[in-house]
Amino acid sequence: MSDGSRPYGVLMETLDDIGERTDTSLRCLDHEVAVWESRMQVTCECLSQHGALDNLERRNAEDRLGETIYSRFPVQTRSALVVAHSLMDKELFTEAELRRKMEDVRARLNEE
């Protein structure tokens, strides 16, 4: 398992899709929660309940990684980044597997 400091290319590439963080104040946290954010929270709870990624461990990783290697990402996206990063660190899936899955999802979304 890595020390968590290695940015995964597949995650860093998503910055082109979502755009860099522009608001560095805490005002960026004051917003209406998007559907994907609620689903992300439920996913995090399920991962914790089933022992794959403890909530405290995830929150600590968000603090540690959120202002270092993922500081350019909007605050709201960091949970997703950290979950993917942490699960790859635990070798539950590889960067190549995540990349393939993301390509599959993008293809499905483009079909609609």
Side-chain angles (χ1 to χ4, degrees), residues 42-57:
V42 169
T43 300
C44 290
E45 293 298 326
C46 290
L47 288 168
S48 182
Q49 182 178 4
H50 294 286
L53 183 60
D54 179 72
N55 274 329
L56 183 57
E57 178 184 347

Side-chain angles (χ1 to χ4, degrees), residues 40-89:
M40 185 68 222
Q41 186 59 42
V42 169
T43 300
C44 290
E45 293 298 326
C46 290
L47 288 168
S48 182
Q49 182 178 4
H50 294 286
L53 183 60
D54 179 72
N55 274 329
L56 183 57
E57 178 184 347
R58 176 185 52 84
R59 287 185 187 119
N60 288 337
E62 280 185 53
D63 291 343
R64 186 178 68 254
L65 298 172
E67 287 303 326
T68 56
I69 61 177
Y70 297 128
S71 63
R72 295 168 47 208
F73 287 84
V75 173
Q76 296 84 1
T77 64
R78 292 182 191 166
S79 287
L81 292 167
V82 168
V83 166
H85 187 119
S86 298
L87 295 177
M88 284 188 286
D89 281 354

